[in-house]
Amino acid sequence: MTANFGIVFLALASLGQLLLPRRWAVLPLLMTFAWMPRGQLIMIDGTALTFLRLIIVLGFLRCMLRREGLSSGWNAMDSIWTAWGVWIVASWGFHDSNDLAFRCGLVWDYLGSYFLLRVFVRDMADIRRLIGLSGLVLAPIGVLMLVEYSSGENPFEAMGGLMTQSREGKFRAAGPFAHPILAGTVGAACLVLAMSLWHRHPMTSIVGVAAGAAIVFSAASSGPVLMVCFALLAMMLWKARSGIGLVLGAGIAGIAVLQIVMNDPFYYLMARVDIVGGSTGWHRAQLIHAALEHLDEWWLVGTDFTRHWMPTGIQANAQHTDLTNHYLVMGVLGGLPLMLTFVASIALAFRWIGNAALRSNLPDSDKFQMWAVGAALFGHVMNFFTAHLFDQSIVSLMMLLAISATLDEARSVASLPALQTDEPPRFGWVG
């Protein structure tokens, strides 16, 4: 029964990816990202491929057949991510481990989803549609994860999903994702983005916020809860956006003061945070400390061995400690060049989103929506210090980067009025 459902879903999603009009072409990608566990595979010539990767391939086939490309042309974000993809593969030559297929798979996931979204998301109407559809496709996941949280049985387990975990007597739901923290990360981003739809699509906004909240709650992990808090804090700064430079300066000054007055480095603050019980903040802080102590081992091209960094390891890989930090994973895979390339893409995204939210001629409702995109990205940035996205949840980040690339530097101030729509607020579901 489960196999039949997977086959039917893949067939319908594949047809949709090839045949739907461009403005709806993101839907098969979003549904596959939200509903299909990475354990749902299809074998092609002895190679196991996830459904998400197959949909990405079909998406590029569609682009070639229909001659769909980047509407605004190639920009700096595209170059940064291309450089990231080239280096993560090229740096494999400096490693002893036989992980070339793994690295190519990362390129497939990251660059594939990013460039597909770049093709499909071209203006403000597309951005609103992408955000609205994300909340709608995650709504049933929120319901099913609440069921998992209360019953301890994951409905997606038979499809390759994770067996329900528990900690300190409480179940932690993962749904179709590879870990509760990853599910919660997706829910946190969904919650914040859905809030930005309130003025134009209130019903869609309510559904998206409810879906995100249900996912974060049922994941029962401190990281996603903190991600929501950081993102909502950024959202509240909308009223003080004219003085955002002073706010950032005060934040940096605060970190400097903490570094001076604390006995431990300031990042050990995360060791003192435990929202849902049983959190491992000390491990995450100590991991950063250990990575800095062993900087000489990985700074240039990464390293194949981090097991000696920490007193505990990880069952999935005897060579490594539990790398619960997305930035450090980039460093371990490709050294500082890969890590800094990743950080550069985020910094550029903030710049373009900020230009759209603060200095464009867009309507205030659209400016606020761009601010919400920046707030969700800020939530990811903070969450990456405590989590590594290693499954389809990475699509939730690439969505934000693709949106920022739609607002590229050349259009962010002078040409953004071309993206402006005069449509009145709507009370339907999506535009």
Side-chain angles (χ1 to χ4, degrees):
M1 184 66 177
T2 301
N4 291 336
F5 175 80
I7 292 172
V8 171
F9 176 90
L10 181 60
L12 293 176
S14 300
L15 287 174
Q17 188 69 93
L18 293 171
L19 301 178
L20 284 173
R22 183 197 57 80
R23 67 184 188 133
W24 297 107
V26 296
L27 185 56
L29 178 69
L30 292 177
M31 292 175 67
T32 306
F33 140 73
W35 295 357
M36 290 292 110
R38 66 172 183 167
Q40 194 74 67
L41 305 168
I42 188 169
M43 300 297 297
I44 299 179
D45 195 24
T47 301
L49 299 179
T50 65
F51 280 15
L52 180 65
R53 291 176 182 175
L54 288 168
I55 293 299
I56 289 173
V57 170
L58 290 173
F60 280 105
L61 176 61
R62 169 211 172 90
C63 293
M64 290 188 291
L65 293 175
R66 296 188 174 214
R67 300 182 183 275
E68 295 173 338
L70 305 176
S71 62
S72 59
W74 194 267
N75 62 27
M77 183 72 75
D78 305 330
S79 297
I80 288 174
W81 273 103
T82 300
W84 180 92
V86 169
W87 182 245
I88 199 172
V89 174
S91 59
W92 167 78
F94 299 95
H95 289 250
D96 296 329
S97 57
N98 185 23
D99 66 347
L100 180 59
F102 169 74
R103 290 168 181 264
C104 291
L106 290 180
V107 173
W108 200 332
D109 291 338
Y110 279 76
L111 268 68
S113 58
Y114 167 76
F115 277 109
L116 267 192
L117 289 165
R118 280 277 284 124
V119 172
F120 297 150
V121 181
R122 301 184 177 186
D123 54 31
M124 287 303 305
D126 289 337
I127 291 172
R128 287 192 293 271
R129 190 176 299 110
L130 174 64
I131 293 173
L133 288 174
S134 299
L136 293 178
V137 299
L138 284 170
I141 302 303
V143 174
L144 291 174
M145 285 184 60
L146 287 174
V147 172
E148 180 184 355
Y149 177 80
S150 61
S151 68
E153 296 183 1
N154 186 356
F156 293 93
E157 185 179 344
M159 299 173 62
L162 188 71
M163 180 183 295
T164 304
Q165 300 181 3
S166 63
R167 185 169 61 188
E168 297 191 353
K170 293 189 297 184
F171 291 123
R172 305 174 68 200
F177 299 95
H179 195 279
I181 292 176
L182 305 183
T185 296
V186 172
C190 173
L191 187 157
V192 176
L193 290 173
M195 292 174 63
S196 70
L197 294 172
W198 173 253
H199 293 292
R200 289 183 179 270
H201 302 286
M203 293 302 297
T204 305
S205 177
I206 291 172
V207 171
V209 169
I215 292 172
V216 171
F217 172 79
S218 54
S221 303
S222 295
V225 175
L226 288 173
M227 180 176 170
V228 171
C229 292
F230 281 120
L232 290 180
L233 176 62
M235 288 277 280
M236 288 188 290
L237 292 176
W238 169 251
K239 294 293 185 181
R241 59 189 180 279
S242 60
I244 193 62
L246 293 176
V247 173
L248 293 175
I252 295 172
I255 292 174
V257 170
L258 288 173
Q259 182 67 25
I260 294 172
V261 302
M262 290 179 61
N263 293 327
D264 295 317
F266 71 92
Y267 48 82
Y268 272 90
L269 282 174
M270 68 179 71
R272 304 177 184 180
V273 177
D274 186 359
I275 296 177
V276 300
S279 294
T280 54
W282 180 88
H283 169 90
R284 287 161 166 79
Q286 183 62 24
L287 178 62
I288 296 174
H289 189 73
L292 294 174
E293 285 186 330
H294 296 275
L295 181 63
D296 60 312
E297 299 176 8
W298 62 270
W299 74 271
L300 183 57
V301 293
T303 178
D304 291 322
F305 191 77
T306 62
R307 180 62 186 81
H308 59 298
W309 288 9
M310 301 283 288
T312 56
I314 182 173
Q315 292 182 350
N317 192 328
Q319 300 296 109
H320 288 290
T321 189
D322 192 3
L323 296 170
T324 53
N325 184 306
H326 202 84
Y327 305 109
L328 290 181
V329 169
M330 296 292 106
V332 167
L333 287 172
L336 287 179
L338 192 71
M339 178 193 289
L340 295 178
T341 302
F342 178 74
V343 171
S345 72
I346 294 175
L348 186 61
F350 276 128
R351 178 180 179 182
W352 287 344
I353 292 169
N355 283 341
L358 300 175
R359 290 184 285 276
S360 71
N361 293 326
L362 288 171
D364 286 345
S365 61
D366 288 340
K367 287 184 177 181
F368 176 71
Q369 189 157 50
M370 292 304 95
W371 189 271
V373 171
L377 183 58
F378 178 68
H380 270 299
V381 166
M382 301 305 293
N383 189 54
F384 284 155
F385 286 103
T386 62
H388 162 47
L389 305 188
F390 58 86
D391 68 350
Q392 71 268 29
S393 57
I394 194 64
V395 175
S396 68
L397 171 68
M398 307 317 289
M399 281 175 48
L400 304 180
L401 299 181
I403 289 173
S404 75
T406 298
L407 309 165
D408 65 61
E409 188 173 31
R411 303 169 68 185
S412 59
V413 178
S415 302
L416 261 184
L419 297 179
Q420 181 174 340
T421 59
D422 295 326
E423 60 178 301
R426 297 183 182 177
F427 297 91
W429 293 99
V430 291

